[in-house]
């Protein structure tokens, strides 16, 4: 009688390694197809074709020369707007806060406190990083701003 071969396990290890590779690849493929699509905006092709309009609007707003300053302190958000020469810009300010981490939104109700300065109560919001998206309706046309801030 001949002794049993000691290398009979090699084909099983090879087949088992391939099965593990297929299983891991299957999980990664399923995960990539069921999560983030890579699209951050709806209808990206159409938006890309309209990018010249976006650039023209940005140039119009830059020509107005309105600069925003945002402060967050003790449950209150203060936004001020002034031209490059320092004169206050009046108008109606509307805005929204967006949390970049989870995408939650919170509308912000601004009320004017003095010419070119608006205040809003944000005491009910969680502390952390937020993005302010605001639009100032002036007599010269709307001016948009987007600024990242930290609520204490």
């Amino acid at each position: 009688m001949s002794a049993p071969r000691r290398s009979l396990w090699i084909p099983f290890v090879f087949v088992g390694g391939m099965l593990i590779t297929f299983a891991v690849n299957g999980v990664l493929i399923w995960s990539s197809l069921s999560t983030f699509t890579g699209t951050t905006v709806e209808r990206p092709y159409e938006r890309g074709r309209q990018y010249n309009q976006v650039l023209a609007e940005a140039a119009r707003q830059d020509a107005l020369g309105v600069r925003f300053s945002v402060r967050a302190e003790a449950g209150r958000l203060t936004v001020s707007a002034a031209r490059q020469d320092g004169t206050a810009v009046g108008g109606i300010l509307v805005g929204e806060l967006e949390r970049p981490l989870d995408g939650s939104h919170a509308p912000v109700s601004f009320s004017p406190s003095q010419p070119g300065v608006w205040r809003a109560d944000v005491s009910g919001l969680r502390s952390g990083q937020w993005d302010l998206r605001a639009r100032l309706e002036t007599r010269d046309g709307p001016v948009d701003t987007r600024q990242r801030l930290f609520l204490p």
Side-chain angles (χ1 to χ4, degrees):
M1 283 210 154
S2 65
R5 288 181 51 190
R6 298 179 131 192
S7 60
L8 288 176
W9 58 272
I10 292 175
F12 294 109
V13 170
F14 179 73
V15 170
M18 292 304 289
L19 289 175
I20 289 173
T21 302
F22 283 128
V24 169
N25 283 337
V27 168
L28 291 175
I29 290 170
W30 173 80
S31 175
S32 69
L33 293 175
S34 64
T35 57
F36 180 60
T37 63
T39 304
T40 56
V41 296
E42 289 188 29
R43 305 174 61 87
Y45 178 73
E46 287 80 9
R47 287 204 49 192
R49 292 199 54 190
Q50 297 171 355
Y51 194 62
N52 285 338
Q53 294 170 352
V54 172
L55 293 176
E57 178 63 18
R60 183 194 67 78
Q61 289 186 25
D62 284 344
L64 292 176
V66 178
R67 302 292 178 246
F68 290 90
S69 173
V70 179
R71 285 185 324 227
E73 52 193 22
R76 187 171 44 172
L77 187 63
T78 305
V79 177
S80 58
R83 297 198 189 279
Q84 290 176 340
D85 61 2
T87 60
V89 178
I92 299 171
L93 185 68
V94 294
E96 173 183 66
L97 286 171
E98 178 183 359
R99 197 162 171 87
L101 185 61
D102 60 10
S104 60
H105 296 268
V108 181
S109 210
F110 288 102
S111 59
S113 64
Q114 57 185 345
V117 178
W118 297 265
R119 289 200 169 91
D121 179 32
V122 292
S123 60
L125 297 177
R126 295 182 295 186
S127 64
Q129 198 171 46
W130 290 84
D131 286 337
L132 171 67
R133 300 175 102 187
R135 179 178 208 118
L136 177 61
E137 298 287 343
T138 68
R139 68 176 184 268
D140 298 327
V143 183
D144 297 324
T145 185
R146 182 173 186 162
Q147 295 190 22
R148 183 156 287 181
L149 56 106
F150 186 82
L151 294 180

